[in-house]
Amino acid sequence: MSEVTSAVARDVKKEFHVVGKSVPRRDGVGHVTGKTVYVDDISFPGMLHLKMVRSPIHHGIIRNVDFSAAEKVPGFVRVLTHRDVPKNIYTILCLIGVGPDEEPVLAVDRVLYKGEPIAAIVAETEEAAMEAVSRVRLDLEELPAVFDVEEALKPGAPILKPWGTNYFVYEGHHCRRVRFGDVEKGFAQADYIIEEVYNTSPIEHAPTETTACVAKPEPDGRYTVYTNTQALFFTMDNTALILQVPFSKLHFVGGTVGGGFGGKVDVIVEPIATLAAMKTGCPVKFKYTREEEMRVSSTRSAWRMYFKDGVMKDGRIIARKVISYADSGAYNRHTPYAVTKHAANVAGPYFIPNVYIDAYCVYTNRQPASAMRGFGVTPASFAVECQMDKIAETIGMDPWEIRFINAYRNGDMRPHQKVVEDATLIEVMKAAAELAGHQLPEHLLKMHSWDREKA
Amino acid sequence: MASRIVAFNLNGRDVEVMVKPLTTLQTVLREHLHLTATKSGCRQGGCGTCTVLVNGEPMLSCLLPVEDIAGQQVVTLEGITPVEGLHPIQQAFFDNYAIQCGYCSPGMIMIIKALLDRNPNPTRQEVMDAIAGNVCRCTGYESILRAAEDAARRLQSA
Amino acid sequence: MAKLRGTGIAAVNYPTGMNLGGDPSQALIHATTTGTFVISLSSTDLGQGLKTVIAQIGAETLGVPFENVLIDTADTDTGPHCMGTFASRATHRVGNAVIMAAKEARKVMLEVAAEELEASPDDLDTDGQGNIYVKGSPERKIDITSVALAAHFKYGRSISGRGMYIKPKSPVDPETGKMDPDSTEAHACVVAEVEVDTETGEVTVLSLKSAYEVGCQVNPALVREQIIGGAFMGMSHALYETTAPYYPSPDHAPGSFSEYVIPGPHELPHIESVVLEYPSVNGPYGVKGVGEMTANAPIPAIINAISNAIGVRLTEYPVTPEKILRALERSPKLKQPAQTGA
């Protein structure tokens, strides 16, 4: 059995009526009776189904696509190619100024990952759509592919982006940089130099409900889109931009999601399903199969992180240099943004006076990565905390003590030059040690996050 | 291939459906009869969200051709939900916060119903064994195990 | 062969809100004729319980019973803009927008009640049970339904409010990386205890004991469920999950739940946690975001525990049995190296 208890450590007197109380879930009755309506539970008379023709190879040139056999499948309605998509090349973070556009809704003349959509087939039933997809004849010329982030940055690697590199450009730089203090001076002063490389794997969100939407033409000329996106307006606005229709033409309905974890922040099914509804005049459902969710939908990106720390005999970390590579897969999605978030956090919740960070967003021939729970910080926390143990082991210090000594306090400057104002790292460490029955020494128990004890 | 009529008992009522061969019970429930409490998480038999009871035994409706259950008794979540209030298992899920996104809940409730019908006082190990084929990505299972044990107590004291 | 036990710790921070800010959310509130308050949003509930905690925050600020508050989400025709549910932002951003809207609606509600009670609005308060009363003389009171009816049919006043919250977008200095990435930071420390089977390479996580500091909790049961669910996902990431088992090779990509390895209820460790509450300066009722970080902290704690158990530092996840067996070949803790070539 598991226990979670609350220890109210603050001085604030609780005088609330309902905040702070464990009231029952508002949606609970709907969930336990199966009456909550998820997107896949929505259907309309005359609703059509959309399925994607996908690349069977990791990297290649599209020489020809032959739909003639697919068109003969009973129930086939129509095919959509890149020529049907008004603004086919997009990038989802354009709404917050991230560019340039680089991902096609449907591939034009090249595919960059296995599973990349090449054409959409709309049919009267899901089975007919799948059957028609299986009859499309693809003539592709396979190209060399690259899967390793560092291989992708070497001269001679297949270049995946029109701007001629396999990395995202941050205001003229190859990577997101953080520069604080003088890291080389710190290394020169340090008693120990401790280096390690950390790796993480791509991970699937695996929500129990797959990504889905239904787009329905309305009598007033608008389109209602029922979707399980995590971000309703974000998805609608991107859809309007891709389809080049006035925003007022679209009406998005959602709010109930069968598991998100970041995987449903991409704008993937809605634009093409809405286009299909426009081109056919019928409601259109596009629901990922489980196989698509696993093999095609975005993943948590894999990371490789090189750490080099300068540490004093007393345990103080005085310099940290990190070179990180995020495997964005074939396209941006949210990874350029994750890399900046990573750069802000990869020094960890510690005060380190000299920090140097280069964080790269790298493209490979892999299914695109995107947002997932923890987003850039998950790999950072992993690497930092394993490195803390390595430092403790190397210099012969207790793993608790190394963290207490270096924990940031209110008033400390973080490497991205924001002053810490709400530190509680020492407090959670003390509480966790107590819960685990680990007796901390008196000099650590005296520490707190409100200011730094005099040396 | 030609469609044919299949008759079975669903939630206490006799129903007939006209289906093509190999149409699954899940498709019949969700698309022909519009009973959408039975979810469709993978259609590979891997997630358990489509669990229903056939003659009291839990079955994955996504793998079950409806011809195979002709003449048999099928119970879905709709069939155990009272007109007012909740079934004790549903109430236990609600009270124990054994729901987050809710997508696995129908399958979980049906698999636990099957367990408690044949074993009214299961050990935690037996509950774990029963739900091992049902995926929950949100809760970490703790609250679901708690709800199952709570439901057993409620049903026994009822 | 042996079973080796180890303990590992990890201490982490997690930022609340979209990195760099610039992520607005809005809320609109209006009262119906009989005093039900409708909070209109376009925010999404992923299962964490947003529809519940937002109703709590709205009811608290309005000063009306929880049952009197409805959440109407998510529809782009009727709900004002919300950036979305991600980045541990929703309770913080939407909650702040709801407080702003609720304050405006509450002001009108108290003004109408003041007319009916022949008192000054400044002298009135709500009891959270559906009444507005004169401070110091609680017998002079009026129920919310009467106030709403009077507002509509007697005074022609709309009991309503608009709320908007944004943390202005921070620029990033491209040379130094100077930036303001977060609104507030939550913290956690996890102590993991594991057992490693040196014959099979399998790891059993025996316990995850943690402390979380998440600002103030709006709904402690929902925070508890995030901590337990997140701990399980973190364990799953640490030991099992990958779409590329031989990364960077793309081969053997799983396509089903039978191929993509996620642990089940049998792998659930003993989870114990204590929640500390230090209110954030800018969160609604002091909240910080908790949703994402609960999956982060267990990963390094578990991996450090395995390293501690086998005496070899592990530097990547997932730590599959194969990787454990390969690491055991280098372990000083085993007199006889694990058999190779199996």
Side-chain angles (χ1 to χ4, degrees), chain C residues 12-14 88 186-188 212-214 289-298:
Chain C
V12 307
N13 66 298
Y14 199 81
S88 300
H187 298 90
Y212 278 83
E213 192 284 300
V214 297
V290 62
E292 294 174 280
M293 68 184 307
T294 55
N296 281 359

Side-chain angles (χ1 to χ4, degrees), chain C residues 58-77:
Chain C
E60 191 68 52
T61 310
L62 287 162
V64 304
F66 179 63
E67 296 71 27
N68 278 42
V69 175
L70 300 181
I71 300 295
D72 176 21
T73 194
D75 182 318
T76 56
D77 276 8

Side-chain angles (χ1 to χ4, degrees), chain C:
Chain C
M1 288 289 172
K3 298 214 175 186
L4 301 176
R5 285 198 175 194
T7 304
I9 61 173
V12 307
N13 66 298
Y14 199 81
T16 297
M18 203 160 117
N19 194 53
L20 307 176
D23 55 328
S25 283
Q26 286 189 61
L28 296 175
I29 298 183
H30 77 273
T32 66
T33 48
T34 50
T36 296
F37 286 79
V38 182
I39 301 181
S40 300
L41 310 167
S42 66
S43 309
T44 295
D45 196 326
L46 305 182
Q48 83 279 37
L50 187 74
K51 290 169 183 170
T52 308
V53 299
I54 291 304
Q56 288 179 264
I57 290 170
E60 191 68 52
T61 310
L62 287 162
V64 304
F66 179 63
E67 296 71 27
N68 278 42
V69 175
L70 300 181
I71 300 295
D72 176 21
T73 194
D75 182 318
T76 56
D77 276 8
T78 58
H81 174 262
C82 172
M83 194 80 192
T85 301
F86 49 81
S88 300
R89 67 179 295 283
T91 304
H92 186 278
R93 300 318 201 226
V94 182
N96 272 324
V98 165
I99 286 177
M100 182 178 170
K103 281 181 175 168
E104 189 176 319
R106 178 184 165 91
K107 183 168 179 289
V108 180
M109 179 176 78
L110 293 183
E111 284 167 6
V112 172
E115 294 281 348
E116 291 292 282
L117 291 169
E118 296 178 343
S120 160
D122 295 340
D123 295 334
L124 300 185
D125 203 353
T126 46
D127 65 1
Q129 311 297 316
N131 300 299
I132 297 164
Y133 65 94
V134 180
K135 284 183 255 185
S137 39
E139 70 288 350
R140 284 180 66 199
K141 64 178 181 182
I142 182 170
D143 64 275
I144 303 279
T145 300
S146 301
V147 173
L149 284 166
H152 279 86
F153 299 110
K154 196 164 160 186
Y155 302 103
R157 301 217 40 199
S158 170
I159 301 179
S160 56
R162 300 159 297 167
M164 173 84 172
Y165 185 83
I166 186 171
K167 174 184 181 287
K169 188 175 180 186
S170 158
V172 188
D173 182 299
E175 307 306 321
T176 64
K178 182 180 182 188
M179 58 181 141
D180 178 359
D182 54 13
S183 288
T184 177
E185 294 272 347
H187 298 90
C189 178
V190 176
V191 183
E193 198 189 357
V194 303
E195 186 174 82
V196 181
D197 184 322
T198 60
E199 188 161 6
T200 64
E202 276 182 297
V203 175
T204 304
V205 179
L206 301 170
S207 69
L208 292 171
K209 293 177 181 168
S210 60
Y212 278 83
E213 192 284 300
V214 297
C216 299
Q217 304 179 84
V218 178
N219 189 317
L222 295 177
V223 171
R224 176 191 75 208
E225 293 308 317
Q226 285 301 306
I227 289 172
I228 296 174
F232 193 84
M233 183 180 271
M235 178 192 75
S236 185
H237 283 12
L239 301 180
Y240 301 92
E241 290 184 57
T242 175
T243 59
Y246 295 95
Y247 184 84
S249 161
D251 297 338
H252 306 288
S256 69
F257 278 117
S258 354
E259 298 164 307
Y260 188 77
V261 185
I262 300 180
H266 293 93
E267 284 74 44
L268 173 67
H270 173 80
I271 296 168
E272 240 181 292
S273 191
V274 58
V275 180
L276 309 180
E277 296 189 298
Y278 291 92
S280 72
V281 289
N282 49 33
Y285 296 102
V287 309
K288 299 178 177 180
V290 62
E292 294 174 280
M293 68 184 307
T294 55
N296 281 359
I299 300 172
I302 289 168
I303 291 170
N304 284 337
I306 300 169
S307 297
N308 177 247
I310 68 175
V312 179
R313 298 225 65 80
L314 297 166
T315 57
E316 62 179 278
Y317 66 79
V319 188
T320 57
E322 179 179 340
K323 288 178 192 162
I324 300 267
L325 291 177
R326 291 187 191 285
L328 280 168
E329 292 171 10
R330 295 180 277 130
S331 172
K333 289 205 179 184
L334 289 187
K335 291 187 185 105
Q336 300 229 306
Q339 291 297 308
T340 55

Side-chain angles (χ1 to χ4, degrees), chain A residues 18 201 327 337 378 408 418 422, chain C residues 19 182 184 187 242 247 296:
Chain A
V18 63
S201 198
D327 186 343
Y337 205 70
T378 312
Y408 61 25
K418 183 175 180 179
D422 45 15
Chain C
N19 194 53
D182 54 13
T184 177
H187 298 90
T242 175
Y247 184 84
N296 281 359

Side-chain angles (χ1 to χ4, degrees), chain A residues 139-346:
Chain A
D139 180 7
L140 306 176
E141 179 190 334
E142 194 156 1
L143 297 174
V146 61
F147 302 109
D148 183 272
V149 283
E150 287 177 275
E151 294 295 323
L153 297 180
K154 284 182 183 162
I159 294 297
L160 308 184
K161 293 293 150 180
W163 56 85
T165 71
N166 287 335
Y167 54 79
F168 182 83
V169 179
Y170 290 92
E171 294 98 16
H173 291 297
H174 298 181
C175 57
R176 175 58 74 203
R177 297 150 53 116
V178 175
R179 301 288 185 269
F180 183 63
D182 183 340
V183 78
E184 292 305 329
K185 204 171 136 194
F187 289 145
Q189 290 170 351
D191 296 319
Y192 298 90
I193 300 294
I194 298 166
E195 295 181 82
E196 189 57 88
V197 53
Y198 296 96
N199 282 282
T200 75
S201 198
I203 285 174
E204 164 56 28
H205 308 80
T208 46
E209 175 207 36
T210 61
T211 305
C213 75
V214 181
K216 178 173 176 279
E218 298 294 351
D220 60 2
R222 299 177 73 209
Y223 294 86
T224 305
V225 181
Y226 302 88
T227 163
N228 57 18
T229 176
Q230 293 177 227
L232 209 59
F233 269 95
F234 183 74
T235 304
M236 183 173 84
D237 293 348
N238 268 299
T239 301
L241 292 173
I242 288 167
L243 301 181
Q244 297 283 292
V245 296
F247 297 83
S248 57
K249 277 269 185 198
L250 302 179
H251 173 205
F252 273 48
V253 180
T256 300
V257 177
F261 313 108
K264 290 168 180 162
V265 189
D266 291 344
V267 183
I268 295 298
V269 291
E270 295 87 354
I272 193 71
T274 307
L275 181 66
M278 288 174 175
K279 296 284 187 185
T280 61
C282 296
V284 175
K285 179 179 276 190
F286 182 16
K287 183 197 181 197
Y288 269 10
T289 62
R290 177 54 57 186
E291 193 177 349
E292 284 178 302
E293 195 70 39
M294 290 278 183
R295 294 206 175 123
V296 176
S297 81
S298 298
T299 64
R300 184 193 280 291
S301 50
W303 292 73
R304 183 170 303 152
M305 296 159 281
Y306 288 87
F307 270 63
K308 179 179 179 183
D309 287 346
V311 183
M312 304 305 287
K313 280 179 188 153
D314 63 9
R316 283 177 299 128
I317 305 167
I318 60 163
R320 169 164 286 172
K321 183 174 184 178
V322 182
I323 312 296
S324 290
Y325 303 94
D327 186 343
S328 184
Y331 296 105
N332 277 338
R333 305 260 170 110
H334 292 90
T335 306
Y337 205 70
V339 167
T340 299
K341 188 167 183 173
H342 175 85
N345 287 281
V346 75

Side-chain angles (χ1 to χ4, degrees), chain B residues 74-148:
Chain B
V74 176
V75 176
T76 68
L77 184 60
E78 286 93 346
I80 71 162
T81 303
V83 175
E84 282 182 36
L86 297 172
H87 185 279
I89 301 175
Q90 292 173 321
Q91 191 68 49
F93 266 68
F94 181 83
D95 290 346
N96 288 282
Y97 298 86
I99 33 174
Q100 283 190 34
C101 83
Y103 205 78
C104 77
S105 308
M108 285 288 183
I109 290 168
M110 295 312 285
I111 200 93
I112 288 167
K113 168 119 181 30
L115 169 70
L116 298 182
D117 283 349
R118 65 169 190 273
N119 179 0
N121 192 18
T123 62
R124 181 163 265 228
Q125 184 65 38
E126 287 168 333
V127 178
M128 292 195 294
D129 294 347
I131 68 170
N134 288 52
V135 174
C136 173
R137 189 62 160 158
C138 303
T139 65
Y141 300 98
E142 170 66 33
S143 57
I144 293 172
L145 297 172
R146 215 162 51 219

